[in-house]
Amino acid sequence: MNFQDLIKQGIPTELPQKKEYDLTINHAPKRKEILSDDEKKLALRNALRYFDAKHHPILLEEFKEELEKYGRIYMYRFRPEYKMYARPIEEYPGNSTQAKSIMLMIQNNLDYAVAQHPHELITYGGNGAVFQNWAQYLLTMQYLSEMTDEQTLVMYSGHPMGLFPSNINAPRVVVTNGMMIPNYSKPDDWEKFNALGVSQYGQMTAGSYMYIGPQGIVHGTTITVLNGGRKIAKNGEDLAGKLFVTSGLGGMSGAQPKAGNIAGCITVCAEVNEKAVHTRHSQGWVDEVISDLDELVNRVKKAKENKEIVSIAFLGNIVSIWEKFDKENVYVDLGSDQTSLHNPWAGGYYPVSISFEEANEMMAKNPDKFKELVQESLRRQATAINNHTAKGTYFFDYGNAFLLEASRAGADVMADNNIDFKYPSYVQDIMGPMCFDYGFGPFRWVCASGKPEDLAKTDEIACAVLEEIKKHSPIEIQQQLADNIRWIKGAQENRLVVGSQARILYADAEGRIKIAEAFNQAIEKGIIGPVVLGRDHHDVSGTDSPYRETSNIYDGSRFTADMAIHNVIGDSFRGATWVSIHNGGGVGWGEVINGGFGMFLDGSKEASKRLKSMLFWDVNNGIARRSWARNEEAVFAIKRAMEVEPLLKVTLPNLVDDSLL
């Protein structure tokens, strides 16, 4: 069968050959054993319901072995033989072009060049899954190939519940991931219900099919490092010769060295997984690899002396770097951490006291001891960071729950009031007041034709739109526009594409609508092919996350999730092609609710109406909430939005005199 026939086939009626476990690619670590014997039987029963009863005797033994060896049932036998990547949209079978665009995005998320653990259907973050198993993938792709524009596919945590009658203006797909009853959102609950095959961790853009490789976080990291540099700058100096120390080269965190190069500093990024280091180095995302601490110290001193722009991967543990640089008096200007501490006990963070291989074995066989070593390592890391900040280092939490888990480990990271952390989240200090409150967030698009020349044309279109907007914009948002014009002009030369022909930039509602409308007009004229719009959930309005996206909300509502829920509901009836809502994201299961969307542009008048309605809401919902929290920049932004759109009328806060209180 050809590719289209294989997609339309879904789950094959005859069993394909059993596949060997491929040791050449990066695999998810074994998950800890958490199910009782009765629950293991339930997990097997749940897995076998995808298959004809005649296959159950063979598959039962196989799935039992997977559950015992890996802690999950992935159904490796059913992994497709065809290459996994985002094909040009016309190569997908189907009755709905919108559905074809979703198939393209799903395959992009599972592309070997994009996905962190592709055979386990995990895109990034250690556990950010597109599906729980390969049967779900096969069935979903089959449904998408069959559906019409009068149907909606319903997705329950990776499981395609089925096609339901709807209408052409409804979303083609509605996705939920990990939406647990609140009392069942502890980390071990994820382990249990994921092992049972009834829930999954969709991260942010993994389970919503909108991940575009590390480029997405490169842009956000570039903006963060640039603005972090501005916070410590004296007399308008840039980042030349300044040192940024961080960690993590797997998944999204692999973007850090590239962002450091674009921002113009020296970046040292630690990573314990040799395969991840090799991948980023071979992709050109990091310049040099060093595994000896003394060699690293000498190399950094030389780079500082020559004011080089260079990124260095250290193959080893981040704790070793912080301690060595402290001992050798290597001054760190900017510091952070991007290890996946939302997932600390299952491969998100590796303790300094044992090897990578020992850790992978211990986390499954002796999870209590592993947790003890992780917390010991976190305490050591925090102590070393405190030593550096005492010398003047500006350290910020990158929203990956580093400070949260360090505090739970008893590390010295709390402020004097014993409520707040002594270091800010990057959203509190940088992205919140400088970007989110003004409505600027990670707008992204994918050229469904798969043609690099289409991407180049969209870059030109977006740049021209931003430059025109900048001519008439208030002083408050001139810097944001200038940073993004600089970004888009350097996008081609920085070789940011991994997987699909995609791009990201930060834009407000005006910028997103005008760029999208310009794309739609270019599609109508035949200048470019169709385009898929989306964004990271890490945005103005898509995510309620008290330690990250909404950490600069100070009216007591940062632990509520009304905004994210309203965001996805509002997007769904304003024209989104697909919508998603997740429990869990970059800060952990039970710590965040986040929503996203995808929108297909085909050059039609209907697409033009949809994009204007949906994108305006998608941004201003969040600005309104931030304004009500008394964020000064958001009050300015929502007043400006009301001037533009007479149908918008938002409740504004009255400020209380502090002396009165």
Side-chain angles (χ1 to χ4, degrees), residues 212-285:
I212 58 168
Q215 179 186 170
I217 195 65
V218 170
H219 181 261
T221 307
T222 300
I223 298 295
T224 301
V225 174
L226 279 173
N227 284 309
R230 289 170 183 141
K231 288 185 74 68
I232 63 172
K234 297 170 184 174
N235 304 318
E237 63 187 359
D238 59 19
L239 283 165
K242 289 187 166 53
L243 175 61
F244 173 43
V245 170
T246 185
S247 58
L249 283 174
M252 293 179 73
S253 58
Q256 295 180 106
K258 173 72 82 171
N261 282 6
I262 297 170
C265 62
I266 303 159
T267 304
V268 172
C269 189
E271 172 58 60
V272 294
N273 185 340
E274 190 170 1
K275 284 183 179 176
V277 172
H278 172 73
T279 297
R280 294 305 176 215
H281 189 239
S282 65
Q283 289 173 337
W285 288 70

Side-chain angles (χ1 to χ4, degrees), residues 215-499:
Q215 179 186 170
I217 195 65
V218 170
H219 181 261
T221 307
T222 300
I223 298 295
T224 301
V225 174
L226 279 173
N227 284 309
R230 289 170 183 141
K231 288 185 74 68
I232 63 172
K234 297 170 184 174
N235 304 318
E237 63 187 359
D238 59 19
L239 283 165
K242 289 187 166 53
L243 175 61
F244 173 43
V245 170
T246 185
S247 58
L249 283 174
M252 293 179 73
S253 58
Q256 295 180 106
K258 173 72 82 171
N261 282 6
I262 297 170
C265 62
I266 303 159
T267 304
V268 172
C269 189
E271 172 58 60
V272 294
N273 185 340
E274 190 170 1
K275 284 183 179 176
V277 172
H278 172 73
T279 297
R280 294 305 176 215
H281 189 239
S282 65
Q283 289 173 337
W285 288 70
V286 63
D287 300 324
E288 301 173 16
V289 177
I290 293 175
S291 56
D292 179 81
L293 281 168
D294 290 323
E295 183 184 345
L296 180 66
V297 168
N298 292 333
R299 180 68 185 93
V300 168
K301 286 180 177 178
K302 180 184 175 185
K304 277 176 163 279
E305 187 179 327
N306 297 330
K307 291 194 172 183
E308 294 179 54
I309 297 173
V310 63
S311 56
I312 303 164
F314 174 70
L315 178 54
N317 199 289
I318 182 60
V319 181
S320 303
I321 293 180
W322 284 114
E323 291 178 343
K324 182 71 172 179
F325 282 8
D326 179 32
K327 181 181 176 183
E328 300 292 337
N329 284 317
V330 176
Y331 184 73
V332 178
D333 298 272
L334 295 170
S336 194
D337 187 282
Q338 261 283 57
T339 46
S340 299
L341 270 155
H342 66 276
N343 179 33
W345 323 125
Y349 182 92
Y350 284 80
V352 66
S353 54
I354 56 175
S355 70
F356 177 66
E357 293 74 20
E358 288 173 315
N360 278 334
E361 187 173 333
M362 185 185 290
M363 70 178 69
K365 290 187 175 179
N366 193 349
D368 291 339
K369 179 64 176 176
F370 182 73
K371 181 176 180 178
E372 184 183 311
L373 294 182
V374 165
Q375 292 191 321
E376 177 190 44
S377 193
L378 283 167
R379 290 192 292 271
R380 277 179 60 178
Q381 184 171 345
T383 297
I385 289 168
N386 291 340
N387 292 344
H388 282 276
T389 58
K391 301 173 188 177
T393 296
Y394 173 64
F395 182 86
F396 56 90
D397 186 295
Y398 215 132
N400 60 329
F402 170 72
L403 291 178
L404 182 63
E405 285 303 330
S407 70
R408 290 168 175 169
D412 180 16
V413 294
M414 302 307 295
D416 291 338
N417 63 12
N418 212 33
I419 297 171
D420 301 313
F421 298 127
K422 65 167 64 178
Y423 303 115
S425 154
Y426 75 115
V427 174
Q428 281 179 289
D429 244 20
I430 300 169
M431 301 304 279
M434 293 180 173
C435 293
F436 291 170
D437 284 351
Y438 285 116
F440 282 82
F443 181 57
R444 53 179 63 168
W445 64 89
V446 175
C447 294
S449 66
K451 296 177 181 176
E453 56 267 34
D454 274 11
L455 184 61
K457 289 171 186 172
T458 60
D459 286 345
E460 292 171 11
I461 292 168
C463 187
V465 169
L466 292 179
E467 287 180 328
E468 184 60 31
I469 290 173
K470 188 173 183 291
K471 291 177 185 176
H472 311 288
S473 291
I475 188 68
E476 287 86 349
I477 61 172
Q478 286 284 312
Q479 184 67 67
Q480 292 90 329
L481 289 164
D483 284 346
N484 282 284
I485 290 166
R486 168 182 167 182
W487 162 268
I488 204 73
K489 284 183 173 177
Q492 295 285 332
E493 66 187 59
N494 284 314
R495 296 187 299 138
L496 296 162
V497 171
V498 176

Side-chain angles (χ1 to χ4, degrees), residues 8 17 36 53 82 97 110 245 318 417 467 555 594 642:
K8 289 190 286 186
Q17 288 293 312
S36 67
Y82 50 74
T97 312
L110 296 171
V245 170
I318 182 60
N417 63 12
E467 287 180 328
D555 68 348
N594 61 89
M642 285 191 280

